[in-house]
Every structure is written in structure tokens, then in C-alpha cells.
Amino acid sequence: MFIVDAHVHIYPPEFESNRDSIATGEPWFDKLTKSKVHRWVSAEDLIASMDKNNIACSYATSFAFHDQGLCRIANDYVLNAAKQYPNRIKALTVVSPNRPGACEEIARCAEEGAIGVGEIFPEGQNFDITNTSETWRLVSSCLEHNLFLMFHTAEQVGHQYSGKGNVGAKEAAKFCLNHSDIKVIFSHFGAGLWAFEAMPEMKLILSNAYYDTAAMPWLYNEKILDAIFAIGAGHKILFGSDWPILDFSKYKKLLDLTRLDTEQKSMLLKENVSTL
Ligand SMILES: [Zn+2]
């Protein structure tokens, strides 16, 4: 099956060699790269893993820094990877939304072939997605260049882990209320926001929202996927692995346990993402 993985991370080699000096000004980068599950991976490693797992195309990003200069270095690496492996890697780029230069960087990346902006990390980047005075520039730049947005969100219940952050379903819903015109992916099942697609007024407010499966094997059992389809949001869920911290095989095992039919699996693994 032609599979699209809508959420992977790759890193330029200088992030590894300069880890300690970068980490002094970027506490979230420090936390994440120190965590046991972190792995430094290149575009070549990504292609090898995709070949092994029968993945046709990946949407790759790097790390959303607070510093705009570091975002730029991350973007250069990802954009270059997408040029090197056209059709296999598509570039998602990062900006520090509240720092000077964010709109210019979005324009530059769009010109260089980026298809979206993300995975924006609201807490780590001091960015309030509920506040229109902070979000309007980011949203209008993305709209101007026909890019979708991807935000890191996480369920505000359950166990803690590094990089979880404090942005959940409530904040994501507020963003959609403020901005109905931009297609937005809320990572990690939108922190549970998909469940509110069963409320008529929320279904309307969330009409531009998508959700991805990133980190599913650590967070949920397979029934969440059955539930998303049962609630009528099956056309909005995208397969995203969060590779390299998790591999496709872990998702495959869960997918096999679901009640999804072939058509629904195909929506999840490749078709829904094409509507972005
Ligand atoms: Zn994330």
C-alpha cells in the first residue's frame, strides 16, 4: 500500500555536534534531546526507514526553536532533503511565530518548496495559539503561500513526558474558532479534540481541523481509531508516526487490531492527507 507518513523529524548534523551550546538557550530542545527515546537521524536514515516500512512519502520537519536563526538552519536542512528526494520527502518548516522574521521565513520556505508550517511547539516557543494578536501574522502568511499549519498539542490528562506541553483541546478549539480559513493539523490526536466532533456546533467550528496519530503506541490503544471513524471524523485523521522515536511497525500492530475496513485504513494511511 502507498503510505504517507505525515509527521517525522530529521536533524542537520550540526544540531548534534552543537547540542550543548544550542541547549543552553533552548530548554525544550535540551529536554527532548536528553530524553532516552531521542535519536539523531538524517534524511538518509529516513529514506532507509521508509524503504524498510513501505512508506512512499514522509512529511518531514526538524525542531521548532524559540530562536529564529536556529529555525532557519533546521529549515535549510529539511528543504534540501526534500529537493534531494523529491516525491519521497515533503518539507514542513518551522518558525518562531512571535519573533521578528517569521513571515519572511515562511515566504522564503514556500518559495523553496515547503508544503506546510510545523510542528509548531506553542509552549516551547512562547506562543499562545488562543490569542489572535499572536496568531494572525502566522495564519495570514500561511494562507498567502497556501501552506497548512501543524501544531503540537497533547492530552492534558494522564502521564507526563518530556515535550508534552500545556496546549490541549481547549486551546486548539479556540484557535479554530478564531481562524476558520486555514487547514490545521493538531498533532497527537489533537489532545482529544476529535471527540467534540460529535457536538454539532463544534463539528462546524472544527471543520478546518485535522488530527494525526503521532505517538499513538505510547498513549492510546487501537480503539481510539475505531472511535474516530464511528464519530464521523475518519476523513480528518492522518497517519503520522513521530519517527524516529516510534517506528511504523508499532502502528501496524495497532492498526491490525482495529475494526477499520480496507477503505478506512486507506483513508488513514494515504487518502486523507491529500485533502490538505
Ligand atoms: Zn509533537
Side-chain angles (χ1 to χ4, degrees):
M1 186 189 267
F2 175 94
I3 298 169
V4 178
D5 186 340
H7 186 147
V8 306
H9 297 267
I10 52 177
Y11 307 97
E14 59 262 48
F15 284 177
E16 183 178 8
S17 49
N18 299 330
R19 196 217 79 94
D20 293 347
S21 61
I22 295 172
T24 50
E26 297 279 346
W28 287 92
F29 177 80
D30 186 37
K31 256 188 224 175
L32 279 163
T33 53
K34 261 186 199 155
S35 98
K36 275 187 205 130
V37 296
H38 175 75
R39 277 171 55 212
W40 296 108
V41 283
S42 66
E44 289 69 33
D45 297 326
L46 172 60
I47 293 292
S49 164
M50 288 164 66
D51 288 344
K52 191 183 95 191
N53 290 303
N54 208 16
I55 293 173
C57 177
S58 287
Y59 291 6
T61 184
S62 186
F63 186 85
F65 292 97
H66 189 250
D67 182 272
Q68 205 73 267
L70 288 168
C71 287
R72 192 184 168 99
I73 296 171
N75 293 339
D76 280 340
Y77 184 74
V78 174
L79 289 164
N80 193 46
K83 283 179 195 159
Q84 212 181 329
Y85 300 100
N87 306 319
R88 305 282 331 260
I89 298 179
K90 304 274 180 211
L92 302 186
T93 57
V94 284
V95 291
S96 192
N98 279 337
R99 306 295 302 277
C103 297
E104 291 79 0
E105 180 64 0
I106 289 173
R108 181 185 81 93
C109 292
E111 209 160 275
E112 297 283 316
I115 60 162
V117 171
E119 182 187 13
I120 295 294
F121 185 31
E123 186 174 3
Q125 298 187 298
N126 270 334
F127 176 56
D128 180 359
I129 69 167
T130 69
N131 183 346
T132 48
S133 68
E134 296 189 24
T135 52
W136 72 269
R137 271 183 308 265
L138 175 69
V139 171
S140 33
S141 288
C142 288
L143 286 172
E144 185 185 344
H145 299 286
N146 200 23
L147 305 172
F148 62 82
L149 260 173
M150 182 202 264
F151 288 127
H152 171 87
T153 52
E155 63 297 332
Q156 296 302 298
V157 292
H159 65 281
Q160 271 302 329
Y161 44 88
S162 50
K164 181 163 177 165
N166 63 0
V167 173
K170 192 176 168 189
E171 289 77 18
K174 186 76 195 297
F175 177 86
C176 287
L177 190 64
N178 291 337
H179 301 284
S180 57
D181 38 7
I182 182 143
K183 288 181 176 172
V184 52
I185 306 170
F186 295 111
S187 290
H188 315 290
F189 292 91
L193 185 61
W194 61 270
F196 299 98
E197 298 258 357
M199 289 172 77
E201 84 266 27
M202 289 309 297
K203 191 179 176 71
L204 207 63
I205 288 167
L206 299 176
S207 53
N208 56 328
Y210 289 77
Y211 315 99
D212 79 22
T213 63
M216 178 181 177
W218 288 338
L219 299 173
Y220 298 101
N221 68 27
E222 75 286 355
K223 291 189 176 66
I224 190 170
L225 289 174
D226 295 330
I228 289 172
F229 276 87
I231 225 168
H235 59 297
K236 309 175 85 177
I237 180 80
L238 314 174
F239 167 66
S241 66
D242 224 354
W243 185 88
I245 62 169
L246 278 156
D247 192 77
F248 181 66
S249 57
K250 296 229 167 56
Y251 292 86
K252 174 84 174 54
K253 266 184 210 154
L254 285 169
L255 202 55
D256 288 344
L257 296 171
T258 65
R259 294 176 174 199
L260 304 190
D261 60 28
T262 317
E263 199 184 315
Q264 290 169 324
K265 281 181 186 164
S266 157
M267 286 167 73
L268 169 71
L269 294 173
K270 63 173 182 179
E271 275 157 37
N272 292 345
V273 78
S274 67
T275 63
L276 277 168

